[in-house]
Amino acid sequence: MGSADIIPGVSGGTIALITGIYERLVHSIGKINFTFIKPLLKGNFSEFKMKLLEEIDFGLFIPLFLGIGIAMISFARLIEYAMNYYPAYTFAFFLGLILASAYVLYAHLEKFSIKLIIVSIVGFILAFIFVGLNPISATHTLPILFFSGMIAICAMILPGISGAFVLLLLGQYKYMLNALNTMNFTEIIVFILGAVIGILGFSKILDYFLQKHEQITITFLIGVMLGTLRLPYDNIVNNLRVGSFGIPFEIICILFVLLGFILIVILEKKFKFVKD
């Protein structure tokens, strides 16, 4: 999830869905109500421990957040390098990832109906328009970074919507990427605090829709994923150049698209086998 969350156009929520932890993740975040604070303030440590273990899924959160943190720190320089020197190939790979992720999400649908098709089209149109927006010129003050974290995390947890891309639109992506690379702890901590507050509120809404309207939610997200393909496609077209080793540029891009697609399909089948 950390590797995906740092890539504009790829969603960590999609990876969570593929690996089979998505619903557990959303539900676990949504049930955090901080009721364990009351017995702590009263000095009742036995009740505090019991409430804490009941409310927070440590078996999920500890390995998950460790993995996300390590991946983000490890991949930040690699992603920055790839986007600077091989933008078209990088975004072609992203396109394959997103396309395959939409296919995986489609496999979770029980059936298609006119209502679901309309919902999917609405998701596609909204995402297509959203991706076409120009990045906002913004300052990098701590309050701005805090609110950027709140907004971006809501996108990061949704399959098909890239939190990194939201940061790109907010004008904070490269700045936060540099903060990770230079280990600027003040800005990283402020951003994380905003993300924590944002995810605690948004996850309850998302958990409700997944519990009550799962098929509609999934169909909408499929449309969103297909709409976000505009981002990698535009970046590929805008960075057209001569191919390498005598291979046409377009063929190399197609190969990277296939590589991304196959990678997601293999991951999905691997984790599906493990779950079964």
Side-chain angles (χ1 to χ4, degrees):
M1 283 184 66
S3 303
D5 281 332
I6 207 168
I7 300 170
V10 185
S11 168
T14 299
I15 303 301
L17 184 72
I18 291 169
T19 54
I21 67 167
Y22 187 71
E23 290 190 12
R24 179 183 173 186
L25 173 62
V26 173
H27 181 68
S28 296
I29 296 172
K31 75 175 186 178
I32 298 175
N33 296 310
F34 298 100
T35 57
F36 52 83
I37 293 178
K38 189 175 180 180
L40 177 63
L41 294 175
K42 291 180 177 179
N44 190 338
F45 294 106
S46 59
E47 186 180 352
F48 163 72
K49 182 180 177 181
M50 182 185 69
K51 292 262 185 194
L52 187 67
L53 293 174
E54 285 178 356
E55 198 167 311
I56 299 182
D57 189 351
F58 287 103
L60 171 69
F61 290 137
I62 291 176
L64 178 66
F65 291 137
L66 278 175
I68 288 175
I70 291 170
M72 281 189 165
I73 293 171
S74 302
F75 280 91
R77 293 186 186 278
L78 176 62
I79 296 300
E80 190 174 33
Y81 177 84
M83 291 183 69
N84 286 334
Y85 294 98
Y86 303 99
Y89 298 155
T90 305
F91 278 99
F93 180 68
F94 295 167
L95 192 150
L97 294 176
I98 300 169
L99 194 60
S101 299
Y103 165 75
V104 170
L105 206 57
Y106 173 78
H108 284 73
L109 287 177
E110 296 175 1
K111 61 179 180 178
F112 248 123
S113 65
I114 297 298
K115 179 181 178 180
L116 294 182
I117 292 173
I118 293 173
V119 169
S120 183
I121 292 173
V122 170
F124 174 87
I125 293 172
L126 290 176
F128 189 85
I129 294 172
F130 177 74
V131 168
L133 297 175
N134 291 321
I136 300 169
S137 295
T139 59
H140 308 294
T141 61
L142 294 182
I144 293 293
L145 294 178
F146 180 84
F147 285 109
S148 296
M150 286 183 65
I151 297 169
I153 197 65
C154 296
M156 285 179 181
I157 201 173
L158 279 173
I161 304 180
S162 168
F165 178 69
V166 171
L167 285 179
L168 201 64
L169 285 178
L170 295 173
Q172 304 298 332
Y173 178 71
K174 287 189 175 181
Y175 188 82
M176 286 309 301
L177 202 61
N178 182 64
L180 276 175
N181 287 331
T182 57
M183 299 302 288
N184 190 324
F185 291 107
T186 301
E187 294 173 341
I188 292 172
I189 290 171
V190 168
F191 182 86
I192 290 174
L193 286 174
V196 169
I197 293 174
I199 200 172
L200 288 174
F202 180 71
S203 61
K204 296 182 188 297
I205 300 171
L206 184 56
D207 188 38
Y208 169 80
F209 279 102
L210 285 172
Q211 296 289 335
K212 304 294 184 180
H213 308 285
E214 182 183 12
Q215 294 297 295
I216 291 177
T217 304
I218 291 177
T219 308
F220 178 78
L221 292 174
I222 291 173
V224 168
M225 289 172 129
L226 295 176
T228 58
L229 289 175
R230 177 177 180 175
L231 173 69
Y233 176 79
D234 286 349
N235 277 276
I236 294 169
V237 172
N238 292 335
N239 289 281
L240 290 174
R241 62 185 65 182
V242 179
S244 304
F245 304 106
I247 304 174
F249 177 82
E250 293 80 4
I251 298 298
I252 299 175
C253 286
I254 291 172
L255 290 175
F256 273 98
V257 171
L258 290 174
L259 178 62
F261 189 95
I262 292 170
L263 177 63
I264 293 296
V265 171
I266 291 174
L267 278 174
E268 196 275 338
K269 291 188 179 298
K270 173 181 172 57
F271 282 102
K272 182 179 179 182
F273 176 76
V274 171
K275 286 181 284 181
D276 291 343

